[in-house]
């Protein structure tokens, strides 16, 4: 599993090859084995140099994140990290040259192991990624990363790497100085061996006499300029919601003023606190495990053979249709893109190429690859072209009668077992399936805009949708590299419905006289990517109004209404400010200037004499979404917490630090959440009325 071989020249090779795991992960067991091997080779006089490598396709993938979810005390965790610190120092100072032979991905703790080596040789492979992505999971690189990286790269470049959490190609890492040499696969071992033989007295720079951090120490003029700015930028980026950002800054600031040994202890202290924090646990659980489960199609119905969509038809070559054509052709799928006439269909094809042309200009895609991809898209206005398609995705205007018409026409041309999907964002799938001759093959495949960037696809099961249709749709989503969640039918399904609650709450606050700038800023500091007033301007107030009216019509007496509705009506129908496209909504959107909140907002909404404190605004904006998600669970629209969490983060940017919209309830605490909602319900109305504490606990479980 972790074995050492010794060659005739005295070069020992420690090879990681953890059985029953696709990648080498670092946990208590594997670290203990590695420690034994390192201690053995350091103590063995016959060993002149050591190569650390992997018997798998990748080097070492990093810490076993399972362990992050366990509830363990400081006393249980700390010794493990201190052991890794000692081990790293033994590699560095044991008197033998250590070389990391990086044969594939080396991330997190895996890359930190390589950083403990005196020299890093990477196999030449453009697919390999190396780096310290811990911060993206709410953790700090705690295997020495916060100490070794700034000592190698300098404080500024080091902080940037630690705070960005980017994964680098081998070439990029080589240019940065994180990798010493790149070698072809067949020669890499020989290169590593030779370096070990040639450098018997290897030491790390920080163990050499007179070592100085490149570019200046913490207490140098450049260091003293750097930290206040870095702190401010970290604060701006995290708004205090991501403790890992602050902890990384502290580790570098404190640890780099002292010896590496003390610095490593400082890092371990911060790491232990971090691992026990609910933010980290939530981010690891959702950001790592649940998202991976979704990508692996954990929701795929069993017993349906794996399928592949080779031929796709898209009805409607507008913004969404073109985007879907782009991502599908990119996955090697042959696409027919249809619109009302040939010119409109061709225009859609041009739209599909636009984001890809940008990639070519940026050197991120080859021109011949773009040409080949565009060859896979046929623009057409003729239903005959749909003959033989495995899957049709309808993305025409959001109009029930139009959708029914194109559904019937397209289904007449496709095989009985082909799937018909609608990309509708608001119309219930079961009702659209009424226009279908084969409702079992009818499903919702809901993309987000812009399609090429947004990772989520919401699959909506209508009442009659078959398991086979769900399974095949999931296979398609996986093939185009998106992350699916599967939900049941309902108004706005899951994502549009819950997101709407955020937007409507923001508008309701405006009506109550809360300063618009406060609403927008608190939304962003709470972690939402964009404030509710800006979001609704972007998507259009008239669209929101027509959706609400449709819901009202569909629900009749059961429709509950919302205090924000008058405001939307006022803006669309009286003030003629329907949103960004018209240049005016809650904001003014001048063509050649920055947007700004419409100055006359205060004329229409009297500013409340006492403004609410930021905490209350945050609770209103986040709790209302969690409450709507709980209602979706109650109505079985969403069937489990993981789908709600993943869907909220990837679908509309619910803040990552929460772990997702239902995990937020746990982060607040079930009882506190219910109490806080009850207080909000007294102040603002029934929409905040929470289910009982027991029900909240069960629904958010
Ligand atoms: P769009 O207005 O950009 O495109 C609609 C296209 O359908 C137009 O090119 C139009 O010419 C075409 N079309 C109309 N009648 C047709 C017919 N009989 N046969 C073929 N094509 C026809 O609209 P967009 O934004 O692409 O939306 C399309 C669908 O996707 C709607 O159902 C919308 O609710 C849904 N959707 C939209 C999202 C968005 O952010 N825009 C997000 C998710 C879903």
């Amino acid at each position: 599993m972790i074995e050492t071989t010794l060659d005739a020249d005295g070069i020992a090779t420690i090879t990681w090859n953890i059985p029953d795991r696709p990648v080498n992960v670092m946990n208590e067991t594997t670290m203990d084995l590695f420690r034994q091997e390192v201690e053995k080779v350091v103590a063995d006089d016959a060993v002149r140099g050591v190569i650390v490598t992997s018997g798998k396709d990748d080097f070492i993938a990093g810490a076993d994140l399972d362990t992050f979810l366990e509830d363990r005390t400081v006393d249980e965790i700390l010794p493990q990290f201190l052991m890794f610190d000692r081990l790293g120092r033994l590699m560095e100072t044991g008197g033998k040259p250590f070389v990391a032979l990086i044969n594939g991905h080396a991330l997190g703790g895996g890359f930190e192991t390589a950083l403990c080596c005196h020299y890093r040789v990477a196999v030449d492979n453009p697919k390999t990624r190396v780096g310290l992505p811990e911060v993206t999971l709410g953790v700090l690189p705690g295997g020495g990363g916060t100490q070794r990286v700034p000592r190698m790269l300098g404080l500024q470049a080091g902080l940037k790497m630690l705070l960005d959490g980017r994964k680098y190609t081998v070439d990029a890492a080589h240019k940065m100085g994180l990798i010493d040499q790149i070698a072809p696969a067949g020669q890499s071992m020989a290169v590593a061996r030779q370096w070990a033989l040639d450098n018997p007295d290897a030491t790390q720079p920080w163990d050499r006499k007179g070592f100085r951090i490149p570019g200046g120490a913490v207490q140098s003029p450049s260091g003293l300029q750097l930290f206040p700015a870095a702190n401010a930028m970290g604060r701006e980026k995290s708004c205090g919601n991501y403790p890992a950002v602050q902890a990384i800054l502290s580790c570098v600031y404190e640890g780099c003023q002292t010896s590496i040994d003390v610095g490593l202890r400082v890092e371990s202290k911060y790491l232990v606190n971090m691992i026990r924090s609910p933010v980290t646990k939530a981010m690891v659980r959702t950001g790592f495990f649940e998202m991976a489960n979704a990508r692996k199609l954990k929701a795929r119905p069993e017993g349906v053979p794996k399928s592949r969509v080779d031929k796709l038809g898209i009805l409607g070559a507008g913004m969404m249709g073109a985007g879907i054509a782009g991502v599908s052709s990119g996955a090697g799928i042959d696409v027919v893109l249809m619109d009302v006439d040939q010119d409109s269909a061709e225009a859609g094809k041009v739209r599909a190429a636009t984001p890809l042309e940008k990639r070519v200009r940026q050197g991120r895609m080859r021109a011949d690859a773009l040409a080949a991809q565009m060859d896979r898209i046929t623009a057409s206005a003729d239903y005959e072209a749909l003959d033989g398609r495995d899957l049709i995705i309808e993305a025409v205007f959001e109009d029930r009668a139009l959708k029914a018409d194109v559904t019937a026409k397209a289904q007449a041309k496709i095989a009985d077992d082909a799937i018909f999907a609608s990309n509708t964002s608001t119309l219930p799938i079961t009702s659209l399936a009424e226009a279908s001759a084969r409702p079992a093959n009818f499903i919702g495949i809901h993309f987000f805009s812009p399609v090429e960037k947004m990772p989520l696809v919401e699959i909506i099961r209508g009442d009659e949708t078959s398991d086979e249709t769900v399974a095949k749709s999931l296979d398609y989503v996986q093939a185009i590299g998106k992350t699916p969640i599967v939900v049941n039918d309902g108004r706005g399904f899951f994502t549009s419905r819950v997101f709407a609650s955020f937007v409507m709450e923001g508008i309701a606050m405006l009506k109550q006289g809360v300063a618009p700038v406060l609403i927008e800023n608190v939304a962003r500091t709470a972690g939402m990517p964009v404030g509710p007033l800006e979001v609704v301007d972007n998507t259009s107030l008239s669209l929101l109004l027509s959706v609400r009216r449709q819901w009202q019509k569909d629900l009749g007496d059961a429709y509950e209404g919302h205090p924000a509705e008058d405001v939307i009506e006022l803006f669309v129908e009286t003030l003629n400010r329907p949103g960004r496209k018209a240049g005016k909504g809650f904001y003014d959107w001048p063509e050649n200037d920055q947007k700004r909140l419409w100055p006359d907002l205060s004329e229409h909404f009297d500013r409340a004499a006492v403004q609410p404190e930021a905490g209350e605004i945050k609770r209103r904006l986040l709790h209302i979404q969690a409450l709507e998600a709980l209602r979706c669970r109650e109505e079985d629209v969403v069937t489990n917490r993981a789908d709600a969490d993943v869907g909220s983060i990837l679908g509309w940017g619910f803040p990552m630090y929460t772990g997702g919209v239902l995990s937020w309830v746990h982060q607040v605490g079930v009882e506190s959440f219910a109490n806080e909602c009850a207080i909000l319900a007294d102040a603002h109305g029934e929409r905040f009325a929470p289910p009982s504490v027991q029900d909240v606990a069960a629904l958010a479980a």
Side-chain angles (χ1 to χ4, degrees), residues 315-321 338-340 344 351 383 394-398 402-403 405-406 423-426 446-449:
L315 308 180
M319 187 170 82
M320 297 305 288
M338 276 190 67
D339 210 290
V340 281
S344 309
R351 248 193 306 279
Y383 280 87
E394 168 279 297
V396 299
F397 300 134
E398 193 76 337
L402 176 63
K403 286 188 189 290
D405 180 49
V406 299
N423 180 48
T424 176
S425 41
T426 57
H446 179 208
F447 285 84
F448 296 76
S449 171

Side-chain angles (χ1 to χ4, degrees), residues 154-156 159 213-230:
L155 296 173
Q156 188 165 358
L159 269 176
I213 292 183
V218 175
Q219 300 291 349
S220 70
S222 62
L224 291 175
Q225 260 181 6
L226 173 68
F227 277 93

Side-chain angles (χ1 to χ4, degrees), residues 134-155:
E134 282 89 336
V135 71
T136 60
L137 292 174
V139 204
L140 63 93
T146 68
Q147 300 307 304
R148 291 188 175 94
V149 167
R151 282 173 170 82
M152 287 172 80
L153 305 184
L155 296 173

